Amino acid sequence: MTTSQANLAEIENPEYTRYTMLFVYACITYAIIGFTWGALMGGIPIFRLFVDTAPHGKLILLAHGHINLLGWVEMAIFGAIYYFVPRLMKAPIYSLKLVKIHFWVHNVGLVGMVVLFTLAGSLGGWDPSDIDEARVHHLMAGVGLFGTLVLIANIIWGYNIYKTRPSK
């Protein structure tokens, strides 16, 4: 077996393929959630009114935006780059373990952000005098923590892609 054939066999590792496809499946799932969420906000007048006029309603828009950008768009990019870079470099990914960590940390961070953005937006209520700022502030601190997980996952991804190169 030539070096090129050996590298191709490593690139086509079933577990690596599985995780690459998990990014694609996550992309599809987040796209469906995000597109449905947007349609509901646009199609249900009371929901749109709440988002537009409630004191913290804009946080629901942020949740929607994050599920689309960090879920649908980023997951598609990650899946595509995880597929193409090893083939382009004719070398296996630097670390399959980092791919797995990236996938799970990114998803936990994203779901946490979206849930807390939505809760904070919903708990604000209709009347500004009913807002419990301390409760919303605490939820937003949680958004920051989950957002940090997404950032760490993206750094792991960048490092893993950067380190993927042919062996000499």
Side-chain angles (χ1 to χ4, degrees), residues 78 82 94-95 97-103 105-106 149-163:
F78 295 146
Y82 276 135
Y94 174 71
S95 170
K97 183 178 180 179
L98 289 178
V99 172
K100 294 175 183 180
I101 292 169
H102 170 218
F103 180 81
V105 171
H106 190 281
L149 287 179
V150 172
L151 174 61
I152 289 168
N154 289 352
I155 291 168
I156 290 168
W157 167 74
Y159 175 79
N160 206 10
I161 294 300
Y162 176 77
K163 294 291 283 185

Side-chain angles (χ1 to χ4, degrees), residues 11-34:
I11 292 167
E12 294 177 358
N13 173 334
E15 193 169 13
Y16 181 70
T17 300
R18 179 175 164 260
Y19 268 85
T20 300
M21 289 307 298
L22 283 175
F23 279 98
V24 174
Y25 299 146
C27 159
I28 293 165
T29 301
Y30 290 129
I32 291 168
I33 292 168

Side-chain angles (χ1 to χ4, degrees), residues 4-87:
S4 180
Q5 289 170 327
N7 284 344
L8 184 59
E10 288 180 49
I11 292 167
E12 294 177 358
N13 173 334
E15 193 169 13
Y16 181 70
T17 300
R18 179 175 164 260
Y19 268 85
T20 300
M21 289 307 298
L22 283 175
F23 279 98
V24 174
Y25 299 146
C27 159
I28 293 165
T29 301
Y30 290 129
I32 291 168
I33 292 168
F35 300 163
T36 303
W37 192 329
L40 292 174
M41 281 193 301
I44 301 174
I46 193 76
F47 188 18
R48 186 74 207 160
L49 181 65
F50 179 81
V51 169
D52 286 343
T53 62
H56 291 297
K58 299 289 187 245
L59 296 174
I60 294 170
L61 287 176
L62 288 174
H64 171 252
H66 279 77
I67 203 144
N68 280 309
L69 180 62
L70 301 180
W72 170 47
V73 175
E74 269 198 342
M75 288 297 186
I77 291 168
F78 295 146
I81 290 177
Y82 276 135
Y83 178 82
F84 285 112
V85 166
R87 284 159 179 81

Side-chain angles (χ1 to χ4, degrees), residues 97-138:
K97 183 178 180 179
L98 289 178
V99 172
K100 294 175 183 180
I101 292 169
H102 170 218
F103 180 81
W104 292 110
V105 171
H106 190 281
N107 278 286
V108 168
L110 173 57
V111 170
M113 286 176 69
V114 169
V115 167
L116 292 181
F117 266 137
T118 304
L119 282 174
S122 299
L123 291 175
W126 285 92
D127 183 359
S129 65
D130 291 338
I131 298 172
D132 180 353
E133 287 292 339
R135 181 172 37 185
V136 173
H137 179 75
H138 180 72

